[in-house]
Amino acid sequence: MTTTSFTEDFALHTGPHRAELLAHCYRMLGSVHDAEDQLQETLLRAWRAYDRYDPARAALRTWLFRIATNACLTALEQRSRRPLPSGLGAPSDDPDAPMIRGEEVPWLQPVPDALLDDPARVASSRHTLRLAFVAALQLLPARQRAVLILRDVLDWPAADVAEALAMTVTAVNSALRRARARLEEAELGEDQVGEPDDPAQRALVERYVAAFERADLTALEKLLTDDVILEMPPFLGWYTGRAAYTRFIARIYTHRGTTWRLHSLRANGQPAVAAYVRAPDGDGFTLNTLQVLDVTAAGIRRNTAFRDPEVFAAFQLPERVPARRP
């Protein structure tokens, strides 16, 4: 086989797995940029070993995921975990206190649904792509994280996980028990999160957008759950409860103005909005935050608002939009 035909054959057979591999690397690493790097590393390792791949020993998908998992584990040896502010300490008790930036923290990042390619795949795996779930994964040691993802997300048998990670089956089962116990402490509440195509969920997000753009704090507060969380990496402070949430948004309106435009999109299988505020020169609106929302039947339970140029670039968000809606 010529080099060209070898490369074409490799691309033909591995191409359908790229989006799923990217999602896997993202769960492991918590960063779109790092996940894309390790996807490329995975494909490079696979290409170099492709002439030795034996389909009688493992399906191509299994083989690729084994390579990706170990590539991510190698990368994690040189990286710190990626938390959200709520994973670092207690909530702030004063929404009017000065904000402190955590520039030294490698923050968890959201992933655009568009990067994951297949809407059906995103929908079927959305609970394991949720920002809160990926944040909880970051609390686990790297090998426990890998075990839990391979067993509970990809549904691999313990023996296959043991072979992939050079562990014993007993060690895999022990790591899985510890990982599951740690995730239970995170109280993710998957059963409370609405389906992405639920008309009630879409209507609630639309009401949130309308209330935010009107700077209507009373309407905004009614859309929140009692235990709502608001966090804004790279700022260390975070808030919980309706009163603290609306007080902080009131502070934003005071400092940034009350004229906003919000544009809907999707991240981590969840509703999200890009929030633009009136530009200081009055010419259109400038990008302020990307807000990823946890929406339940009772209301919005979490808003993680990112102010990170790398996140904005991953979502291809323009820095400025015109005053008039398209």
Side-chain angles (χ1 to χ4, degrees), residues 17-323:
H17 302 288
R18 290 175 65 99
E20 194 177 13
L21 287 167
L22 178 64
H24 179 62
C25 293
Y26 170 72
R27 292 186 189 97
M28 286 288 296
L29 302 170
S31 158
V32 176
H33 178 74
D34 290 351
E36 289 177 327
D37 282 351
Q38 292 314 307
L39 172 61
Q40 295 308 313
E41 175 66 18
T42 296
L43 294 174
L44 178 60
R45 292 186 186 187
W47 184 83
R48 288 172 173 167
Y50 192 51
D51 59 347
R52 301 188 299 278
Y53 163 64
D54 182 0
R57 294 190 59 189
L60 180 64
R61 178 178 181 271
T62 301
W63 183 68
L64 290 171
F65 270 91
R66 182 184 302 165
I67 295 172
T69 303
N70 283 286
C72 289
L73 287 173
T74 300
L76 286 168
E77 293 174 0
Q78 310 297 325
R79 290 170 170 81
S80 301
R81 69 184 183 91
R82 287 181 172 270
L84 289 174
S86 57
L88 295 179
S92 305
D93 55 9
D94 183 5
D96 297 313
M99 300 288 290
I100 300 173
R101 296 177 70 94
E103 300 291 3
E104 73 288 354
V105 179
W107 296 106
L108 177 68
Q109 298 175 341
V111 62
D113 280 17
L115 275 185
L116 304 179
D117 189 41
D118 183 353
R121 180 181 296 144
V122 174
S124 66
S125 61
R126 67 186 185 85
H127 283 306
T128 65
L129 286 169
R130 282 177 53 211
L131 202 60
F133 179 80
V134 179
L137 290 176
Q138 301 298 302
L139 301 175
L140 304 176
R143 194 159 288 267
Q144 279 188 30
R145 194 183 311 171
V147 167
L148 184 132
I149 293 171
L150 292 175
R151 289 285 283 120
D152 286 359
V153 176
L154 299 181
D155 200 27
W156 281 23
D160 290 358
V161 177
E163 181 182 358
L165 301 181
M167 300 169 67
T168 66
V169 171
T170 300
V172 166
N173 290 334
S174 176
L176 182 61
R177 284 194 299 271
R178 293 194 298 272
R180 285 173 173 170
R182 186 66 186 89
L183 257 63
E184 285 180 8
E185 295 173 6
E187 298 180 349
L188 297 176
E190 288 184 8
D191 57 330
Q192 301 176 27
V193 179
E195 293 293 330
D197 293 328
D198 179 8
Q201 184 192 85
R202 293 200 305 270
L204 193 149
V205 173
E206 289 170 2
R207 292 199 300 273
Y208 177 85
V209 167
F212 200 103
E213 290 185 341
R214 296 196 311 269
D216 187 341
L217 292 171
T218 300
L220 204 62
E221 185 173 11
K222 292 178 180 178
L223 301 173
L224 310 174
T225 63
D226 293 336
D227 58 351
V228 64
I229 290 173
L230 174 64
E231 50 191 337
M232 297 146 291
F235 296 104
L236 294 169
W238 61 285
Y239 309 97
T240 183
R242 285 174 169 165
Y245 189 113
T246 52
R247 277 182 60 193
F248 185 83
I249 299 300
R251 171 185 176 181
I252 294 297
Y253 288 151
T254 298
H255 290 284
R256 296 281 184 175
T258 57
T259 307
W260 294 72
R261 291 289 181 269
L262 270 59
H263 298 268
S264 296
L265 56 147
R266 296 199 64 81
N268 294 74
Q270 302 170 230
V273 292
Y276 289 80
V277 64
R278 171 72 78 180
D281 60 10
D283 183 16
F285 293 77
T286 57
L287 183 58
N288 183 260
T289 55
L290 171 69
Q291 303 177 25
V292 182
L293 306 174
D294 267 20
V295 181
T296 72
I300 293 171
R301 189 177 62 190
R302 182 188 293 261
N303 180 352
T304 308
F306 294 88
R307 295 193 65 185
D308 180 349
E310 195 170 278
V311 170
F312 296 160
F315 282 80
Q316 300 182 350
L317 297 174
E319 294 183 5
R320 185 182 291 248
V321 295

